[in-house]
């Protein structure tokens, strides 16, 4: 290890408020105590071997050099075709789709492309943890508007009140991490009406687009003519195909917005690895995997939520994503983080405190579990939680 010396110049942090994320903290604690890790959101099972074969065939077939900056055309075409078949909007694969290094890179790239110093960005709390540091790096300011406590529905009166001449963009995430709620068509309509008289852009984080349950349809912004005209829609192959470690996603937007996105993208990552793009394009010829995903995860949700009902935790509705929130107020009135730490140490199950997703660390006695796990993992966790 090279230790800093008096000669190492001090850095004035661009992100002075950022520390180690709660996901890293809880995963480390889970490992230390041999807990079942239902904290961080990733599957503990492998992807479809056909996807591995497709990527391996691309690598062995010599598809290993730089692809075009915006992504390989076959994959962009596959994405455009999927969006059209599901949501009825045709994006031009050449000028309106870009392949990114996960949704995370798509979101920061969109923000850097459109947010200028002094601009405001509306985020709806609780929200994914990368949004605010991304906004800060662009010199903007996050304006936090809470979703309605208890139901986690968008509060349009408060969103309207937060709009100002400085508002440049609003970030919407549906299906929603961490609350597992989904926006309705009526919510989208209300948002469209609010934004109509403004120049405010929209970043739609739809990484869980294929995980909506109980026969409800995903209200993608792509379905909504007016909103789509001002939106970057972001999704993640990692979530859809059980390969979160591959870090690959995409963004869809009108051509004039995509021009600016790509200016930042080409000097950020420039492009995303070639063989995985070809492998995904080949695999996506079969729509079965993405069409079957909701039922696959709905069964896991049902298993886990039913199991929770037999504990002293109270499961909240989970309409989408692979998360299940639970209320622990029957067990304890500790703050959420303290409860999660104790749950990991004493009960052997790791979860994430909901307060970690709020700028003001709102306490509601709620924790988030991830159920993207094998049945045996979920059953082991439930057996432990029954002892609570
Ligand atoms: C709401 C939300 N957005 C974005 C991401 C990041 O996705 P990716 O792994 O493709 O970067 C996640 C991952 O947990 C997420 O939950």
């Amino acid at each position: 290890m090279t230790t800093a010396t008096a000669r190492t110049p001090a850095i004035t942090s661009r992100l002075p408020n950022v520390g180690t994320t709660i996901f890293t903290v809880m995963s480390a604690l889970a490992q230390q105590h041999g807990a079942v890790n239902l904290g961080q959101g990733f599957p503990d099972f492998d992807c479809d071997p056909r996807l591995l074969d497709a990527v391996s065939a691309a690598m062995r077939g010599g598809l290993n050099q730089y692809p075009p900056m915006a992504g390989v055309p076959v994959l962009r075409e596959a994405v455009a075709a999927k969006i059209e078949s599901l949501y009825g909007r045709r994006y031009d694969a050449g000028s309106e789709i870009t392949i990114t290094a996960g949704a995370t890179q798509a979101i920061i790239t969109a923000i850097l492309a459109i947010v200028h110093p002094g601009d405001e960005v509306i985020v709806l709390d609780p929200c994914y943890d990368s949004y605010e540091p991304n906004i800060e790096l662009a010199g903007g300011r996050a304006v936090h508007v809470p979703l309605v406590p208890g139901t986690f529905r968008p509060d349009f009166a408060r969103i309207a009140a937060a709009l100002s001449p400085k508002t440049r963009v609003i970030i919407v995430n549906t299906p929603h991490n961490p609350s597992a709620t989904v926006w309705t068509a009526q919510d989208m309509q209300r948002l469209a009406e609010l934004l109509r008289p403004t120049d405010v852009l929209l970043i739609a984080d739809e990484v869980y687009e294929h995980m909506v349950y109980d026969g409800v349809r995903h209200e993608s912004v792509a379905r909504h003519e007016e909103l789509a005209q001002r939106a970057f829609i972001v999704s993640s192959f990692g979530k859809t195909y059980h390969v979160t470690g591959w870090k690959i996603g995409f963004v869809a937007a009108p051509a004039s917005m995509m021009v600016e996105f790509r200016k930042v993208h080409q000097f950020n990552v420039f492009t995303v690895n070639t063989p995985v793009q070809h492998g995904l394009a080949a695999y996506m010829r079969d729509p079965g995997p993405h069409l079957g995903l909701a039922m696959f995860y709905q069964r896991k949700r049902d298993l886990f939520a039913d199991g929770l009902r037999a504990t002293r935790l109270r499961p909240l509705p989970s309409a989408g994503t692979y998360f299940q929130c639970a209320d622990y107020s029957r067990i304890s009135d500790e703050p959420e983080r303290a409860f999660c730490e104790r749950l990991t140490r004493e009960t052997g199950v790791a979860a994430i405190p909901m307060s970690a997703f709020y700028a003001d660390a709102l306490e509601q006695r709620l924790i988030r579990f991830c159920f993207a796990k094998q049945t045996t993992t979920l059953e082991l966790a439930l057996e432990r939680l029954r002892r609570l």
Side-chain angles (χ1 to χ4, degrees):
M1 183 176 158
T2 310
T3 3
T5 67
R7 289 201 179 167
T8 306
I11 294 172
T12 306
S13 180
R14 296 290 315 277
L15 295 170
N17 302 320
V18 167
T20 311
T21 75
I22 185 72
F23 308 102
T24 309
V25 172
M26 292 311 301
S27 287
L29 200 65
Q31 201 167 20
Q32 193 186 332
H33 293 277
V36 183
N37 190 358
L38 303 189
Q40 213 170 350
F42 59 86
D44 74 341
F45 45 86
D46 212 352
C47 67
D48 187 341
R50 290 180 303 155
L51 177 55
L52 299 178
D53 290 344
V55 171
S56 163
M59 273 186 193
R60 291 188 186 283
L63 297 168
N64 296 305
Q65 307 310 326
Y66 292 130
M69 184 266 281
V72 301
V74 275
L75 182 57
R76 282 185 277 147
E77 192 46 59
V79 168
K82 177 165 79 77
I83 295 175
E84 186 173 22
S85 78
L86 293 176
Y87 311 130
R89 167 166 300 276
R90 181 72 202 176
Y91 283 91
D92 178 60
S95 60
E96 298 185 317
I97 306 275
T98 299
I99 307 303
T100 61
T104 311
Q105 186 246 322
I107 294 165
I108 189 168
T109 303
I111 289 172
L112 289 173
I114 58 184
V115 174
H116 291 249
D119 285 350
E120 293 178 353
V121 179
I122 296 179
V123 297
L124 307 178
D125 280 8
C127 72
Y128 188 59
D129 63 350
S130 77
Y131 302 160
E132 178 147 23
N134 291 176
I135 296 162
E136 277 181 45
L137 286 174
R141 188 172 77 85
V143 175
H144 294 269
V145 176
L147 296 167
V148 176
T151 62
F152 299 100
R153 308 299 323 155
D155 185 336
F156 288 100
R158 291 191 72 165
I159 297 172
L163 284 169
S164 88
K166 288 187 182 165
T167 311
R168 179 96 301 259
V169 52
I170 176 167
I171 306 179
V172 165
N173 169 217
T174 182
H176 183 245
N177 174 16
S179 74
T181 53
V182 298
W183 279 43
T184 62
Q186 203 189 359
D187 291 332
M188 289 297 171
Q189 187 54 32
R190 296 276 305 276
L191 182 67
E193 283 157 18
L194 264 190
L195 300 188
R196 191 174 299 145
T198 74
D199 287 331
V200 173
L201 299 171
L202 173 61
I203 296 176
D205 180 344
E206 301 188 8
V207 298
Y208 301 102
E209 62 177 321
H210 301 297
M211 302 172 205
V212 180
Y213 309 129
D214 307 312
V216 173
R217 72 175 204 178
H218 168 55
E219 286 306 328
S220 175
V221 161
R223 290 187 192 277
H224 202 288
E225 172 67 26
E226 218 181 328
L227 288 175
Q229 282 171 12
R230 59 172 82 211
F232 289 105
I233 300 176
V234 173
S235 190
S236 169
F237 297 108
K239 305 284 181 192
T240 301
Y241 300 122
H242 316 305
V243 286
T244 57
W246 287 5
K247 294 303 297 181
I248 180 161
F250 66 84
V251 60
S256 61
M257 290 172 64
M258 194 55 91
V259 166
E260 292 305 317
F261 182 95
R262 288 181 183 173
K263 285 182 190 171
V264 178
H265 179 78
Q266 72 176 337
F267 294 120
N268 179 345
V269 288
F270 178 59
T271 190
V272 178
N273 84 80
T274 306
V276 167
Q277 293 194 56
H278 280 286
L280 280 167
Y283 184 69
M284 284 173 72
R285 283 192 212 118
D286 174 9
H290 70 256
L291 293 179
L293 197 69
M295 197 39 80
F296 172 81
Y297 273 124
Q298 186 173 315
R299 288 199 192 99
K300 291 192 182 293
R301 179 207 61 177
D302 289 346
L303 173 96
F304 189 59
D306 287 348
L308 283 182
R309 280 185 205 100
T311 74
R312 289 165 69 216
L313 291 163
R314 243 191 306 250
L316 268 56
S318 169
T321 73
Y322 47 45
F323 299 115
Q324 170 69 62
C325 295
D327 179 319
Y328 64 84
S329 55
R330 277 198 286 212
I331 301 167
S332 159
D333 58 6
E334 282 163 286
E336 291 171 4
R337 180 158 177 168
F339 181 78
C340 283
E341 286 174 0
R342 197 164 62 79
L343 192 70
T344 308
R345 276 197 317 268
E346 295 177 11
T347 311
V349 181
I352 302 289
M354 179 75 94
S355 53
F357 298 87
Y358 281 90
D360 65 357
L362 180 70
E363 289 285 342
Q364 302 169 95
R365 310 284 177 267
L366 294 177
I367 57 177
R368 188 202 77 177
F369 294 106
C370 170
F371 58 74
K373 308 292 169 188
Q374 299 173 62
T375 303
T376 47
T377 310
L378 294 174
E379 281 172 347
L380 177 61
L382 288 166
E383 184 191 309
R384 293 180 178 185
L385 292 171
R386 276 195 292 274
R387 293 188 215 135
L388 270 171

